[in-house]
């Protein structure tokens, strides 16, 4: 049988052409299964996906999976190859931790790593398990991982105040932004409580105590809302990245975004309030923008501007201060880049050439901005 002449471009197979033009993958892909409480199915869903992918021929192993004595989870884990855990002696007691070096030596396509917020026993390479994950990803190995929302650093204080349960182990928020995909393992609070009563999560003798503490319905509703918010943000980042990569200039109004353009006038706080009401009404995000044009502000104006921006942050707005010779051009650019759907400008009661300049600026903005709803709110001039 003859051999293929790969030196001849016409003789290359489609697969060879695809390999040639596809960008080389240099880091592992990070997929996170996020839950809002123990027992919602994070680890089970991760194992189920791993088994499906192994059946398709992918090389996949378990780095560490905690079954917590749940039979159905344990049954799935038994179907996959495991990297033996590393034994560490700490103060005369033997502990087992995930063997990062063993994973790197085995070099599978994909590795499963449970409970990202876990703190490693002293004597390991890193203090936290998520740091081990970063090493695995850097070795161009894909990672499927799990964690609960209460372990996100910025969320932990809120969860502690709601549930009264101290959150001792956390991961930094930037780790979620590093994830290429976030999947929420979701159950209604009622379904989760039913699982608890059946003994599917903890032993039955522990269930009733859990249901009157961490697993109270109000706690679960709040935790689920927090998890949904983080998944929504992740999806939003993915959509924005896609639109940027494809150079899509039009606003895809999947989610409403309201931008308020403010000045150093105290009247701007009324604009911010109006923007907050619109954002709340459309379940959207609120942005507040100040454009620094030529010329420095007087000390009193600087204090007023700082107060305006702080007022906006108190209303959960994202604040931005940008430099630009043209306020209209800078605002239009901001609207395009942030995919704003509503923009609010203030209008003071002026006449003559100032009125002309104001209308010119609005027209200039409309010419440069994508399709966006423009709200012009009349303001009273500050009284000296």
């Amino acid at each position: 049988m003859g051999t293929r002449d790969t030196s001849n471009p016409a003789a290359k197979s489609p697969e060879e052409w695809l390999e040639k033009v596809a960008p080389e993958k240099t880091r592992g892909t990070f997929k996170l299964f996020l839950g809002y409480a123990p027992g919602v199915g994070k680890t089970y869903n991760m194992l189920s996906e791993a088994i499906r992918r192994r059946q398709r021929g992918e090389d996949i192993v378990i780095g560490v999976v905690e079954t917590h004595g749940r039979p159905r989870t344990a049954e799935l884990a038994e179907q996959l190859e495991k990297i033996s855990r590393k034994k560490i002696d700490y103060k005369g007691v033997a502990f087992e931790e995930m063997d990062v070096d063993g994973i790197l030596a085995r070099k599978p396509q994909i590795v499963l790593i449970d409970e990202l917020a876990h703190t490693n026993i002293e004597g390991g390479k890193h203090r936290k398990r998520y740091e081990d994950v970063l090493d695995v990803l850097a070795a161009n190995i894909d990672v499927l991982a799990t964690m609960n929302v209460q372990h996100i650093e910025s969320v932990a204080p809120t969860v502690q105040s709601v549930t009264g349960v101290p959150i001792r182990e956390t991961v930094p928020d930037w780790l979620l932004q590093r994830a290429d995909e976030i999947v929420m393992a979701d159950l209604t609070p009622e379904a989760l409580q039913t699982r608890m009563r059946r003994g599917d999560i903890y032993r039955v003798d522990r269930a009733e105590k859990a249901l009157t503490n961490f697993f109270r319905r109000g706690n679960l509703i709040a935790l689920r809302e927090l998890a949904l918010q983080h998944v929504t943000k992740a999806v939003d980042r993915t959509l924005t990245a896609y639109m940027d990569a494809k150079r899509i200039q039009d606003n895809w109004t999947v989610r409403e975004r309201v931008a308020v353009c403010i000045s150093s006038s105290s009247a701007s706080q009324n604009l911010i309030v109006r923007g907050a009401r619109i954002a709340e009404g459309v379940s959207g995000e609120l942005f507040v923008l100040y454009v620094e044009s030529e010329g420095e502000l007087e000390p009193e104006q600087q204090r007023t501007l700082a107060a305006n921006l702080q007022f906006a942050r108190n209303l959960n707005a994202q604040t931005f201060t940008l430099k630009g010779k043209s306020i209209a051009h800078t605002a239009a650019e901001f609207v395009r880049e942030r995919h704003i759907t509503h923009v609010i400008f203030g209008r003071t009661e002026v006449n003559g050439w100032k009125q002309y300049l104001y209308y010119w600026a609005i027209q200039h903005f409309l010419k440069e901005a994508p399709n966006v709803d423009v709200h012009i709110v009349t303001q009273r001039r500050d009284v000296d």
Side-chain angles (χ1 to χ4, degrees):
M1 182 180 291
T3 59
R4 182 191 295 271
D5 179 12
T6 57
S7 63
N8 178 8
K12 289 184 182 294
S13 70
E15 292 78 11
E16 289 169 333
W17 275 113
L18 184 60
E19 184 178 349
K20 185 177 180 63
V21 301
E24 185 178 355
K25 181 170 170 278
T26 58
R27 289 185 63 86
T29 300
F30 179 26
K31 182 170 183 177
L32 176 63
F33 292 81
L34 182 69
Y36 70 88
V40 295
K42 304 178 302 297
T43 304
Y44 189 89
N45 288 350
M46 178 179 69
L47 287 165
S48 298
E49 176 170 327
I51 291 169
R52 290 194 300 271
R53 293 174 71 167
R54 188 202 59 181
Q55 291 170 346
R56 296 199 297 263
E58 296 182 64
D59 181 19
I60 188 162
V61 301
I62 291 177
V64 60
V65 161
E66 306 292 352
T67 64
H68 299 290
R70 295 164 193 161
R72 294 179 63 196
T73 303
E75 288 173 12
L76 293 183
E78 287 300 318
Q79 300 179 42
L80 295 166
E81 177 187 343
K82 299 177 182 65
I83 302 294
S84 298
R85 299 195 193 188
K86 184 177 182 180
K87 292 179 173 57
I88 298 176
D89 182 80
Y90 179 66
K91 295 183 178 180
V93 180
F95 292 90
E96 291 187 342
E97 292 286 9
M98 182 176 73
D99 186 358
V100 181
D101 292 333
I103 293 170
L104 298 179
R106 169 66 173 75
K107 201 169 178 59
Q109 287 178 272
I110 309 160
V111 63
L112 276 58
I113 300 178
D114 218 356
E115 299 187 357
L116 281 184
H118 171 79
T119 301
N120 295 329
I121 295 297
E122 287 186 26
K125 186 176 182 181
H126 296 295
R127 192 177 72 87
K128 301 289 290 187
R129 184 171 287 169
Y130 76 81
E131 296 174 299
D132 296 333
V133 168
L134 296 177
D135 282 357
V136 174
L137 292 169
N140 204 10
I141 299 171
D142 295 346
V143 173
L144 304 184
T146 70
M147 67 174 289
N148 280 328
V149 70
Q150 64 263 32
H151 297 295
I152 301 171
E153 197 167 43
S154 65
V155 174
T158 301
V159 174
Q160 186 165 328
S161 66
V162 169
T163 65
V165 177
I167 308 298
R168 296 184 176 88
E169 296 184 309
T170 61
V171 301
D173 288 54
W174 57 257
L175 187 69
L176 273 76
Q177 297 175 8
R178 168 66 179 83
D180 299 283
E181 185 178 355
I182 297 179
V183 177
M184 183 169 171
D186 192 25
L187 279 178
T188 65
E190 293 78 13
L192 185 58
Q193 288 179 322
T194 298
R195 292 198 66 200
M196 176 65 73
R197 292 188 183 96
R198 286 201 308 252
D200 293 343
I201 303 171
Y202 301 139
R203 297 191 312 270
V204 175
D205 59 342
R206 292 179 57 194
E208 286 306 317
K209 183 177 179 181
L211 287 167
T212 57
N213 289 285
F214 187 85
F215 282 80
R216 292 196 304 269
R217 184 170 180 272
N219 289 354
L220 298 179
I221 292 171
L223 290 166
R224 190 183 188 210
E225 174 68 20
L226 288 168
L228 287 167
Q229 287 176 4
H230 275 77
V231 173
T232 299
K233 288 178 182 177
V235 173
D236 192 51
R237 287 195 301 270
T238 303
L239 177 60
T240 299
Y242 174 83
M243 293 177 71
D244 291 342
K246 298 296 182 180
R247 298 182 181 180
I248 297 171
Q249 298 295 327
D250 293 337
N251 280 336
W252 288 5
T253 54
V254 176
R255 190 175 186 189
E256 302 285 356
R257 294 181 174 89
V258 180
V260 182
C261 296
I262 67 168
S263 68
S264 58
S265 165
S266 60
S268 289
Q269 293 193 12
N270 293 328
L271 292 181
I272 296 169
V273 170
R274 180 70 66 90
R277 288 174 181 168
I278 293 174
E280 183 180 6
V282 296
S283 299
E285 294 178 277
L286 179 61
F287 299 78
V288 171
L289 170 66
Y290 172 74
V291 179
E292 288 184 2
S293 53
E294 294 181 356
E296 293 187 3
L297 297 177
E298 297 292 332
E300 182 60 32
Q301 291 176 312
Q302 292 178 4
R303 285 191 289 271
T304 304
L305 175 61
N308 290 344
L309 293 171
Q310 184 56 53
F311 180 77
R313 287 189 285 269
N314 291 344
L315 294 178
N316 294 321
Q318 299 180 48
T319 60
F320 297 84
T321 299
L322 303 178
K323 292 185 178 181
K325 293 183 178 180
S326 166
I327 293 176
H329 173 77
T330 306
E333 194 172 62
F334 178 83
V335 165
R336 280 197 306 274
E337 290 177 355
R338 295 282 169 173
H339 307 295
I340 301 298
T341 57
H342 299 259
V343 64
I344 298 174
F345 293 106
R347 173 178 174 270
T348 54
E349 298 170 349
V350 294
N351 297 305
W353 64 274
K354 287 187 176 181
Q355 186 179 49
Y356 170 78
L357 287 177
Y358 175 82
Y359 287 129
W360 179 88
I362 293 295
Q363 289 298 323
H364 184 58
F365 169 82
L366 292 172
K367 184 178 179 180
E368 291 199 19
N371 294 331
V372 60
D373 292 344
V374 178
H375 306 257
I376 297 177
V377 180
T378 300
Q379 301 170 278
R380 292 182 179 179
R381 286 178 291 182
D382 291 340
V383 179
D384 297 333

